[in-house]
Coordinates of all heavy atoms in Angstrom, one line a residue:
M1 N -6.7 9.1 -72.7 CA -5.8 10.2 -72.7 C -4.4 9.8 -73.2 O -3.9 8.8 -72.6 CB -5.8 10.8 -71.3 CG -4.6 11.6 -70.9 SD -5.0 12.5 -69.4 CE -3.4 12.7 -68.8
P2 N -3.9 10.4 -74.2 CA -2.6 9.9 -74.8 C -1.4 10.1 -73.9 O -1.4 11.2 -73.2 CB -2.5 10.6 -76.1 CG -3.3 11.9 -75.9 CD -4.4 11.5 -74.9
E3 N -0.6 9.2 -73.8 CA 0.7 9.3 -73.1 C 1.8 9.7 -74.0 O 2.1 8.9 -75.0 CB 1.0 8.0 -72.3 CG 0.2 7.8 -71.1 CD 1.0 7.4 -70.0 OE1 2.2 7.2 -70.1 OE2 0.4 7.1 -68.9
N4 N 2.5 10.8 -73.8 CA 3.6 11.2 -74.6 C 4.9 10.7 -74.0 O 5.0 10.7 -72.8 CB 3.6 12.7 -74.8 CG 2.4 13.2 -75.6 OD1 2.0 12.6 -76.5 ND2 1.9 14.3 -75.1
S5 N 5.8 10.3 -74.9 CA 7.1 9.8 -74.4 C 7.9 11.0 -73.8 O 7.6 12.2 -74.2 CB 7.9 9.2 -75.5 OG 8.4 10.1 -76.4
L6 N 8.8 10.7 -73.0 CA 9.6 11.8 -72.4 C 10.4 12.5 -73.6 O 10.5 13.8 -73.6 CB 10.7 11.2 -71.5 CG 11.7 12.2 -70.8 CD1 10.9 13.2 -70.0 CD2 12.6 11.5 -70.0
A7 N 10.8 11.8 -74.6 CA 11.5 12.4 -75.7 C 10.6 13.4 -76.4 O 11.0 14.5 -76.8 CB 12.0 11.4 -76.7
E8 N 9.3 13.0 -76.6 CA 8.4 13.9 -77.3 C 8.2 15.2 -76.5 O 8.1 16.3 -77.0 CB 7.1 13.2 -77.6 CG 7.1 12.3 -78.8 CD 5.9 11.4 -78.9 OE1 5.3 11.1 -77.8 OE2 5.5 11.1 -80.0
R9 N 8.0 15.0 -75.2 CA 7.7 16.1 -74.3 C 9.0 17.0 -74.3 O 8.8 18.3 -74.3 CB 7.3 15.7 -72.9 CG 5.8 15.3 -72.9 CD 5.4 14.9 -71.5 NE 5.9 13.6 -71.2 CZ 6.4 13.3 -70.0 NH1 6.6 14.2 -69.1 NH2 6.8 12.0 -69.8
S10 N 10.2 16.5 -74.2 CA 11.4 17.3 -74.2 C 11.5 18.0 -75.5 O 11.9 19.2 -75.5 CB 12.6 16.4 -74.0 OG 12.5 15.6 -72.8
A11 N 11.2 17.4 -76.6 CA 11.4 18.1 -77.9 C 10.4 19.3 -77.9 O 10.8 20.4 -78.4 CB 11.0 17.1 -79.0
R12 N 9.2 19.1 -77.4 CA 8.2 20.2 -77.5 C 8.7 21.3 -76.5 O 8.5 22.4 -76.9 CB 6.8 19.6 -77.1 CG 5.7 20.6 -77.4 CD 4.4 20.0 -77.6 NE 4.2 18.8 -76.9 CZ 3.9 17.6 -77.4 NH1 3.8 17.5 -78.7 NH2 3.7 16.6 -76.6
A13 N 9.2 20.9 -75.4 CA 9.7 22.0 -74.5 C 10.8 22.8 -75.1 O 10.8 24.0 -75.0 CB 10.1 21.3 -73.2
A14 N 11.7 22.1 -75.7 CA 12.9 22.8 -76.3 C 12.4 23.7 -77.5 O 12.9 24.8 -77.6 CB 13.8 21.7 -76.9
Q15 N 11.4 23.2 -78.2 CA 10.8 24.0 -79.3 C 10.2 25.3 -78.8 O 10.6 26.3 -79.3 CB 9.7 23.1 -80.0 CG 9.0 23.8 -81.1 CD 9.7 23.5 -82.5 OE1 10.7 22.8 -82.5 NE2 9.2 24.1 -83.5
S16 N 9.4 25.2 -77.8 CA 8.8 26.4 -77.3 C 9.8 27.3 -76.6 O 9.7 28.5 -76.6 CB 7.6 26.1 -76.4 OG 7.9 25.1 -75.5
A17 N 10.8 26.7 -76.0 CA 11.9 27.5 -75.3 C 12.6 28.4 -76.4 O 12.8 29.5 -76.2 CB 12.8 26.6 -74.6
G18 N 12.9 27.8 -77.5 CA 13.6 28.5 -78.6 C 12.7 29.6 -79.2 O 13.1 30.7 -79.4
R19 N 11.4 29.3 -79.4 CA 10.5 30.3 -79.9 C 10.3 31.4 -78.9 O 10.3 32.6 -79.3 CB 9.1 29.6 -80.2 CG 9.2 28.7 -81.4 CD 8.8 29.5 -82.7 NE 9.2 28.7 -83.9 CZ 8.6 27.6 -84.3 NH1 7.5 27.2 -83.7 NH2 9.0 27.0 -85.4
A20 N 10.2 31.0 -77.6 CA 10.0 32.0 -76.6 C 11.2 33.0 -76.5 O 11.1 34.1 -76.1 CB 9.8 31.4 -75.3
A21 N 12.4 32.4 -76.8 CA 13.6 33.2 -76.8 C 13.7 34.2 -78.0 O 14.7 34.9 -78.1 CB 14.8 32.3 -76.7
G22 N 12.8 34.1 -78.9 CA 12.7 35.0 -80.0 C 13.5 34.5 -81.3 O 13.9 35.3 -82.1
Y23 N 13.7 33.2 -81.4 CA 14.4 32.6 -82.5 C 13.4 32.1 -83.5 O 12.3 31.7 -83.2 CB 15.3 31.5 -82.1 CG 16.4 31.9 -81.2 CD1 16.7 31.2 -80.0 CD2 17.2 33.0 -81.4 CE1 17.7 31.5 -79.2 CE2 18.2 33.4 -80.6 CZ 18.5 32.6 -79.4 OH 19.5 33.0 -78.6
C24 N 13.9 32.0 -84.8 CA 13.1 31.3 -85.8 C 12.9 29.9 -85.5 O 11.8 29.3 -85.5 CB 13.8 31.5 -87.2 SG 13.4 30.3 -88.4
W25 N 14.0 29.2 -85.0 CA 14.0 27.9 -84.4 C 13.6 26.8 -85.4 O 13.2 25.7 -84.9 CB 13.2 27.9 -83.2 CG 13.7 27.0 -82.1 CD1 13.1 25.9 -81.6 CD2 15.0 27.0 -81.4 NE1 13.9 25.3 -80.7 CE2 15.0 26.0 -80.6 CE3 16.0 28.0 -81.6 CZ2 16.2 25.8 -79.7 CZ3 17.1 27.8 -80.7 CH2 17.2 26.7 -79.9
L26 N 13.7 27.0 -86.7 CA 13.4 25.9 -87.6 C 14.5 24.8 -87.4 O 15.7 25.2 -87.3 CB 13.4 26.4 -89.0 CG 13.1 25.3 -90.1 CD1 11.6 25.2 -90.2 CD2 13.7 25.7 -91.4
E27 N 14.1 23.6 -87.3 CA 15.1 22.5 -87.1 C 15.8 22.2 -88.4 O 15.2 22.1 -89.5 CB 14.4 21.3 -86.6 CG 15.5 20.2 -86.2 CD 14.9 19.0 -85.5 OE1 13.6 18.9 -85.4 OE2 15.7 18.2 -84.9
H28 N 17.1 22.0 -88.3 CA 17.9 21.6 -89.5 C 17.4 20.2 -90.0 O 17.0 19.4 -89.2 CB 19.3 21.5 -89.1 CG 20.3 21.2 -90.3 ND1 20.4 20.0 -90.8 CD2 21.0 22.1 -91.0 CE1 21.3 20.1 -91.8 NE2 21.7 21.4 -91.9
P29 N 17.3 20.0 -91.3 CA 16.8 18.7 -91.8 C 17.5 17.5 -91.3 O 16.9 16.5 -91.1 CB 17.0 18.9 -93.3 CG 17.1 20.3 -93.6 CD 17.6 21.0 -92.4
D30 N 18.8 17.7 -91.0 CA 19.5 16.6 -90.4 C 19.4 16.5 -88.9 O 20.0 15.6 -88.3 CB 21.0 16.7 -90.8 CG 21.2 16.5 -92.3 OD1 20.3 15.9 -93.0 OD2 22.2 17.0 -92.9
G31 N 18.8 17.4 -88.3 CA 18.6 17.5 -86.9 C 19.9 18.0 -86.2 O 20.9 18.3 -86.8
G32 N 19.7 18.3 -84.9 CA 20.9 18.7 -84.1 C 21.2 20.2 -84.2 O 22.1 20.6 -83.6
A33 N 20.4 20.9 -85.0 CA 20.6 22.4 -85.0 C 19.3 23.0 -85.2 O 18.3 22.5 -85.8 CB 21.5 22.7 -86.2
H34 N 19.2 24.2 -84.7 CA 18.0 25.0 -84.9 C 18.4 26.4 -85.3 O 19.4 26.9 -84.9 CB 17.2 25.2 -83.6 CG 16.5 23.9 -83.2 ND1 17.1 23.0 -82.3 CD2 15.3 23.4 -83.4 CE1 16.3 22.0 -82.1 NE2 15.2 22.2 -82.8
C35 N 17.6 27.0 -86.2 CA 17.9 28.4 -86.7 C 17.8 29.3 -85.5 O 16.8 29.4 -84.8 CB 16.9 28.8 -87.8 SG 17.2 30.4 -88.4
T36 N 18.9 30.1 -85.3 CA 18.9 31.0 -84.2 C 18.9 32.5 -84.7 O 19.3 33.4 -84.0 CB 20.1 30.8 -83.3 OG1 21.3 30.7 -84.1 CG2 19.9 29.5 -82.5
R37 N 18.4 32.7 -85.9 CA 18.1 34.0 -86.3 C 16.8 34.4 -85.7 O 16.0 33.6 -85.3 CB 17.9 34.1 -87.9 CG 19.2 33.9 -88.6 CD 19.0 33.9 -90.1 NE 18.4 35.2 -90.6 CZ 18.0 35.5 -91.8 NH1 18.0 34.5 -92.7 NH2 17.6 36.7 -92.1
P38 N 16.5 35.7 -85.6 CA 15.2 36.1 -85.2 C 14.2 35.7 -86.3 O 14.6 35.4 -87.4 CB 15.3 37.7 -85.2 CG 16.7 38.0 -85.1 CD 17.4 36.9 -85.8
P39 N 12.9 35.5 -85.9 CA 12.0 35.1 -86.9 C 12.1 35.9 -88.2 O 12.2 37.1 -88.1 CB 10.6 35.3 -86.2 CG 10.9 35.2 -84.8 CD 12.3 35.7 -84.6
H40 N 12.1 35.3 -89.3 CA 12.5 36.0 -90.6 C 11.7 35.4 -91.7 O 11.2 34.3 -91.7 CB 14.0 35.9 -90.8 CG 14.5 34.4 -90.9 ND1 14.6 33.8 -92.1 CD2 14.8 33.5 -90.0 CE1 15.0 32.5 -91.9 NE2 15.1 32.3 -90.6
T41 N 11.8 36.1 -92.9 CA 11.3 35.5 -94.1 C 12.5 35.0 -94.9 O 13.6 35.3 -94.6 CB 10.5 36.6 -94.9 OG1 11.4 37.7 -95.1 CG2 9.3 37.1 -94.1
G42 N 12.2 34.3 -96.0 CA 13.3 33.8 -96.8 C 13.7 32.4 -96.3 O 13.1 31.9 -95.3
Q43 N 14.6 31.8 -97.0 CA 14.9 30.4 -96.7 C 16.3 30.1 -96.2 O 16.7 29.0 -96.1 CB 14.7 29.6 -98.0 CG 13.3 29.7 -98.5 CD 13.1 29.0 -99.9 OE1 13.8 29.4 -100.9 NE2 12.3 28.0 -100.0
Q44 N 17.0 31.2 -95.8 CA 18.3 31.1 -95.3 C 18.3 31.0 -93.8 O 18.0 32.0 -93.1 CB 19.2 32.3 -95.8 CG 20.7 32.0 -95.7 CD 21.1 31.1 -96.7 OE1 20.7 31.2 -97.9 NE2 22.0 30.2 -96.4
H45 N 18.6 29.8 -93.3 CA 18.6 29.6 -91.8 C 20.0 29.4 -91.3 O 20.8 28.8 -92.0 CB 17.7 28.4 -91.5 CG 16.3 28.6 -92.0 ND1 15.3 29.4 -91.3 CD2 15.6 28.1 -93.1 CE1 14.2 29.3 -92.0 NE2 14.3 28.6 -93.0
V46 N 20.2 29.9 -90.2 CA 21.6 29.8 -89.6 C 21.5 29.4 -88.1 O 20.7 29.9 -87.4 CB 22.3 31.1 -89.6 CG1 23.7 31.0 -89.1 CG2 22.4 31.7 -91.1
D47 N 22.2 28.4 -87.7 CA 22.4 28.1 -86.3 C 23.8 28.7 -85.9 O 24.8 28.1 -86.2 CB 22.3 26.6 -86.0 CG 22.3 26.3 -84.5 OD1 22.9 27.1 -83.7 OD2 21.8 25.3 -84.1
Y48 N 23.7 29.8 -85.1 CA 25.0 30.5 -84.8 C 25.7 29.7 -83.7 O 26.9 30.1 -83.5 CB 24.7 31.9 -84.3 CG 24.2 32.8 -85.4 CD1 22.9 33.2 -85.5 CD2 25.1 33.2 -86.4 CE1 22.4 34.1 -86.5 CE2 24.6 34.1 -87.4 CZ 23.3 34.5 -87.5 OH 22.9 35.3 -88.5
Y49 N 25.1 28.8 -83.1 CA 25.7 28.2 -81.9 C 26.3 26.8 -82.2 O 27.0 26.2 -81.4 CB 24.8 28.1 -80.7 CG 24.3 29.5 -80.4 CD1 23.0 29.9 -80.8 CD2 25.1 30.4 -79.7 CE1 22.6 31.2 -80.5 CE2 24.7 31.7 -79.5 CZ 23.4 32.1 -79.8 OH 23.0 33.4 -79.5
N50 N 25.8 26.2 -83.3 CA 26.4 24.9 -83.7 C 27.1 25.0 -85.1 O 26.7 25.8 -85.9 CB 25.2 23.9 -83.8 CG 24.7 23.5 -82.5 OD1 25.4 23.0 -81.6 ND2 23.4 23.8 -82.3
G51 N 28.0 24.1 -85.3 CA 28.7 24.1 -86.6 C 29.9 25.0 -86.7 O 30.6 25.0 -87.7
R52 N 30.2 25.7 -85.6 CA 31.4 26.6 -85.7 C 32.6 25.7 -85.3 O 32.5 24.9 -84.4 CB 31.3 27.7 -84.7 CG 30.2 28.7 -85.1 CD 30.2 30.0 -84.3 NE 30.0 29.7 -82.9 CZ 30.0 30.6 -81.9 NH1 30.3 31.9 -82.2 NH2 29.8 30.3 -80.7
T53 N 33.7 26.0 -86.0 CA 34.9 25.1 -85.7 C 35.7 25.8 -84.6 O 36.6 25.2 -84.0 CB 35.7 24.9 -87.0 OG1 35.9 26.2 -87.6 CG2 34.9 24.0 -87.9
S54 N 35.5 27.1 -84.4 CA 36.2 27.7 -83.3 C 35.4 28.9 -82.7 O 34.5 29.4 -83.4 CB 37.6 28.3 -83.8 OG 37.4 29.6 -84.4
P55 N 35.6 29.3 -81.5 CA 34.8 30.3 -80.9 C 34.8 31.6 -81.6 O 33.9 32.5 -81.4 CB 35.4 30.5 -79.5 CG 36.1 29.2 -79.2 CD 36.6 28.8 -80.6
T56 N 35.8 31.8 -82.5 CA 35.9 33.1 -83.2 C 35.2 33.1 -84.5 O 35.1 34.1 -85.1 CB 37.4 33.5 -83.4 OG1 38.1 32.4 -84.0 CG2 38.1 33.8 -82.0
D57 N 34.7 31.9 -84.9 CA 34.0 31.9 -86.2 C 32.7 32.7 -86.0 O 32.0 32.6 -85.0 CB 33.6 30.5 -86.5 CG 34.7 29.7 -87.1 OD1 35.7 30.3 -87.4 OD2 34.6 28.5 -87.3
T58 N 32.4 33.5 -87.0 CA 31.2 34.3 -86.9 C 30.0 33.6 -87.5 O 28.8 33.9 -87.1 CB 31.3 35.6 -87.7 OG1 31.8 35.3 -89.0 CG2 32.3 36.5 -87.0
N59 N 30.2 32.6 -88.4 CA 29.1 31.9 -89.0 C 29.0 30.5 -88.4 O 30.0 29.9 -88.1 CB 29.3 31.8 -90.5 CG 29.1 33.1 -91.2 OD1 28.3 34.0 -90.7 ND2 29.8 33.4 -92.2
G60 N 27.7 30.1 -88.2 CA 27.5 28.8 -87.7 C 27.1 27.9 -88.9 O 27.6 28.0 -90.0
H61 N 26.1 27.1 -88.6 CA 25.6 26.1 -89.5 C 24.5 26.7 -90.3 O 23.5 27.1 -89.8 CB 25.0 24.9 -88.7 CG 25.0 23.7 -89.4 ND1 25.8 22.6 -89.1 CD2 24.2 23.2 -90.4 CE1 25.5 21.6 -89.8 NE2 24.5 21.9 -90.6
E62 N 24.8 26.9 -91.6 CA 23.8 27.6 -92.5 C 23.1 26.6 -93.4 O 23.8 25.6 -93.9 CB 24.5 28.6 -93.3 CG 25.1 29.7 -92.5 CD 25.7 30.8 -93.4 OE1 25.1 31.1 -94.5 OE2 26.7 31.4 -93.1
W63 N 21.9 26.8 -93.7 CA 21.2 25.9 -94.7 C 20.0 26.7 -95.2 O 19.5 27.7 -94.7 CB 20.8 24.6 -94.1 CG 19.6 24.6 -93.1 CD1 18.3 24.3 -93.4 CD2 19.6 25.0 -91.7 NE1 17.5 24.5 -92.3 CE2 18.3 24.9 -91.3 CE3 20.6 25.4 -90.8 CZ2 17.9 25.1 -89.9 CZ3 20.2 25.7 -89.5 CH2 18.9 25.5 -89.1
E64 N 19.5 26.2 -96.4 CA 18.3 26.8 -97.0 C 17.2 25.7 -97.0 O 17.5 24.6 -97.2 CB 18.6 27.1 -98.5 CG 19.5 28.3 -98.6 CD 19.7 28.8 -100.1 OE1 18.8 28.5 -100.9 OE2 20.7 29.3 -100.4
E65 N 16.0 26.2 -96.7 CA 14.9 25.3 -96.7 C 13.6 26.0 -97.1 O 13.4 27.2 -96.6 CB 14.8 24.7 -95.2 CG 13.7 23.7 -95.1 CD 13.8 23.0 -93.7 OE1 14.9 22.9 -93.2 OE2 12.7 22.6 -93.3
Ligands
ZN1 ZN1 15.3 30.5 -89.8

């Protein structure tokens, strides 16, 4: 029976938590961000919670994939 590292289990838990919350949750290619749009078509992903330089910014970290 395979033993998973804590990091692997944490990553999987975070993944399902994001999906369960109703997000697209695609991980940014550079890591550290997940798409927080609702599940969508197209390649424009946005993490509304990371990449903002101030709390009043409306856009977060955007990327295409
Ligand atoms: Zn997305």
Side-chain angles (χ1 to χ4, degrees):
M1 157 166 156
E3 285 224 1
N4 294 320
S5 73
L6 179 60
E8 281 172 327
R9 279 183 283 135
S10 300
R12 192 153 33 239
Q15 179 91 2
S16 44
R19 289 268 164 74
Y23 298 133
C24 160
W25 214 242
L26 184 83
E27 186 172 13
H28 188 278
D30 294 337
H34 290 90
C35 180
T36 47
R37 290 179 64 187
H40 60 92
T41 57
Q43 298 174 300
Q44 196 73 40
H45 301 280
V46 183
D47 186 333
Y48 290 110
Y49 303 104
N50 288 301
R52 293 189 300 176
T53 53
S54 83
T56 54
D57 282 353
T58 52
N59 290 328
H61 204 108
E62 298 184 35
W63 74 98
E64 288 186 28
E65 184 170 331

